[in-house]
Amino acid sequence: MKKICIGSIGLGRLGYEHAKNIATRIPGAELTALCDVDSVRLAQVAQELGVKNTYEDYEEMCKNPELDGICIVSPSSFHTEHIRIALENGKHVFCEKPLDTTVEKCKQGEAIVSAHPDKVFMLGFMRRYDHSYIKAKEKIDNGDIGRIILIRAYTQDPVATIESTLKFAPNSGGQFLDMCVHDIDLCNWFTGGQKPKNLWAIGGCFAYPQYREWNDGDNVGCMIQYEDETMAFLFAGRAAAQGCNVETEIIGTKGTLRIGSVGTDSMLEVLSENGVCRECYTDFMYRWHEAYISELEEFVNCIIENRQPDVTVYDGTLASQTAYRAKESFETGKMLPFEK
Ligand code: NAI
């Protein structure tokens, strides 16, 4: 069977991971082209992964008739524009989260995607493709924990990667859009698409005062009340001492589900003068490695089977809109209704 030919844009922290996965881990796909404005990085990755077509101009790559799909891993503020160019050139699109960095651009993204219903569009909410989260979702849908009362979610990046985190921070859209957006999407997924009713976000600069310059905190939290009264508490931090820590707890009327309550990278225990230790995931790449592969497998299978994935462009807008409202609450110090 002919392989699905993919061109990938952005060869930074995650872009390189996706490119490598497409080239080596997705049986139905071929990494046919690469694009990045950094010509040195582009040549280096193309050589390593054996990719013959390289572009510094994204539109040129999208015009390549060999390509079936585009994988967008460019900076978040380019996403809508890059989605538009790919779809208008007849390509299927996988785009990293967030959908974009303003609600207005997300809405434009929705319109562009809806105008191309024959093309697969998928957003990179990879937690939906992680084995533990898939099992949790099945149990919720099966009624095993009854009605959801509270979702508690922690997402912490490791202090070990703080240098690259700080470099990325000013253009990331901020903590709520860049980090909490994953937990916000999980709440949306687990509750079957409930919309927030009220939000209250707080936070501060506990170790890295530079976040204040970006109207942000290095550690932030947000409480959400959903329209059906489900509660959520989200916490995002940039510099956890122990490593990459992601915990999710879903408390229902008949039971509770927990994922990563002690976030360790394996079953290994090290017994030494420090006691009994289990090591944490070193970074997000390590924690989500399999999920990143599974989501791209799903993208390629959607193209082959001519169907759309469960995660939609509307999920992307809802997550960004919720994150922005949380940011506004953080900035004003007020509890806000979700709808303006
Ligand atoms: P990065 O800053 O490390 O890399 C961005 C790359 O895009 C750089 O190589 C840069 O040269 C290139 N680039 C910038 N403008 C370009 C243009 N106009 N044309 C072509 N190339 C261009 O960023 P990172 O961390 O890889 O993030 C990229 C996207 O992935 C962001 O949207 C981010 O939110 C998302 N992301 C998602 C994660 C997840 O867990 N799902 C984790 C990390 C990032």
Side-chain angles (χ1 to χ4, degrees):
M1 197 169 66
K2 179 195 170 289
K3 292 205 169 187
I4 300 299
C5 294
I6 298 190
S8 202
I9 173 168
L11 296 171
R13 295 182 310 169
L14 185 58
Y16 171 69
E17 171 89 1
H18 279 336
K20 199 165 57 165
N21 286 338
I22 296 165
T24 62
R25 298 291 301 269
I26 317 285
E30 179 188 297
L31 184 64
T32 308
L34 285 173
C35 171
D36 200 294
V37 285
D38 180 340
S39 57
V40 175
R41 179 82 182 136
L42 180 62
Q44 189 188 30
V45 178
Q47 191 190 19
E48 179 193 328
L49 301 177
V51 179
K52 55 181 192 304
N53 302 298
T54 58
Y55 302 85
E56 287 175 46
D57 182 325
Y58 174 65
E59 197 152 4
E60 282 306 308
M61 178 172 84
C62 289
K63 284 186 182 147
N64 180 336
E66 268 184 273
L67 298 179
D68 302 296
I70 302 289
C71 174
I72 299 173
V73 208
S74 52
S76 305
S77 57
F78 295 143
H79 288 181
T80 304
E81 179 62 359
H82 287 168
I83 292 167
R84 183 188 66 74
I85 293 171
L87 287 173
E88 286 180 357
N89 279 282
K91 311 302 182 196
H92 302 284
V93 173
F94 172 91
C95 179
E96 252 317 316
K97 57 53 65 175
L99 181 53
D100 209 308
T101 50
T102 69
V103 174
E104 200 188 358
K105 286 206 277 172
C106 289
K107 297 269 184 199
Q108 287 167 10
E110 277 183 4
I112 295 158
V113 171
S114 349
H116 296 86
D118 57 323
K119 295 292 159 216
V120 172
F121 175 79
M122 181 166 172
L123 205 58
F125 281 130
M126 78 294 179
R127 290 188 191 180
R128 294 188 184 213
Y129 298 89
D130 175 272
H131 182 59
S132 307
Y133 286 91
I134 291 170
K135 285 186 80 171
K137 172 70 173 159
E138 281 168 4
K139 289 195 185 301
I140 292 165
D141 288 352
N142 198 37
D144 293 2
I145 63 162
R147 183 208 184 290
I148 299 176
I149 299 169
L150 172 77
I151 299 171
R152 175 183 67 83
Y154 296 171
T155 295
Q156 289 175 284
D157 274 347
V159 72
T161 58
I162 191 67
E163 214 175 293
S164 73
T165 303
L166 288 173
K167 226 189 291 169
F168 180 79
N171 300 313
S172 68
Q175 297 276 54
F176 295 102
L177 190 73
D178 190 48
M179 292 190 88
C180 290
V181 80
H182 286 292
D183 293 311
I184 291 169
D185 181 62
L186 285 180
C187 292
N188 171 19
W189 192 43
F190 289 149
T191 61
Q194 281 296 316
K195 270 198 179 166
K197 189 173 164 197
N198 293 302
L199 305 98
W200 185 42
I202 53 176
C205 294
F206 298 86
Y208 296 92
Q210 47 273 65
Y211 277 89
R212 231 177 276 285
E213 288 167 38
W214 308 315
N215 254 347
D216 208 351
D218 56 13
N219 285 270
V220 299
C222 179
M223 290 195 72
I224 305 178
Q225 179 188 41
Y226 283 86
E227 280 178 341
D228 71 348
E229 294 185 334
T230 300
M231 297 178 277
F233 173 68
L234 318 178
F235 165 67
R238 282 298 189 188
Q242 75 275 35
C244 169
N245 186 50
V246 178
E247 293 178 40
T248 311
E249 181 175 45
I250 308 127
I251 300 174
T253 50
K254 291 192 200 157
T256 291
L257 302 171
R258 279 190 190 152
I259 300 159
S261 52
V262 181
T264 54
D265 74 337
S266 70
M267 298 297 285
L268 176 71
E269 291 175 343
V270 181
L271 283 67
S272 71
E273 73 273 15
N274 297 320
V276 183
C277 293
R278 288 176 72 171
E279 290 175 4
C280 283
Y281 292 99
T282 46
D283 57 27
F284 65 82
M285 223 69 91
Y286 195 179
R287 169 63 183 88
W288 304 108
H289 178 66
E290 292 302 324
Y292 289 140
I293 295 168
S294 299
E295 64 178 353
L296 285 169
E297 257 167 10
E298 170 67 355
F299 174 58
V300 169
N301 287 339
C302 283
I303 298 175
I304 295 169
E305 294 160 19
N306 193 21
R307 62 177 172 83
Q308 292 289 343
D310 286 343
V311 55
T312 67
V313 69
Y314 304 103
D315 295 320
T317 304
L318 180 60
S320 292
Q321 211 167 352
T322 308
Y324 262 102
R325 209 60 180 140
K327 188 170 161 55
E328 265 180 81
S329 169
F330 170 80
E331 285 172 4
T332 58
K334 289 186 182 146
M335 186 178 95
L336 297 176
F338 176 64
E339 299 291 355
K340 290 192 185 186

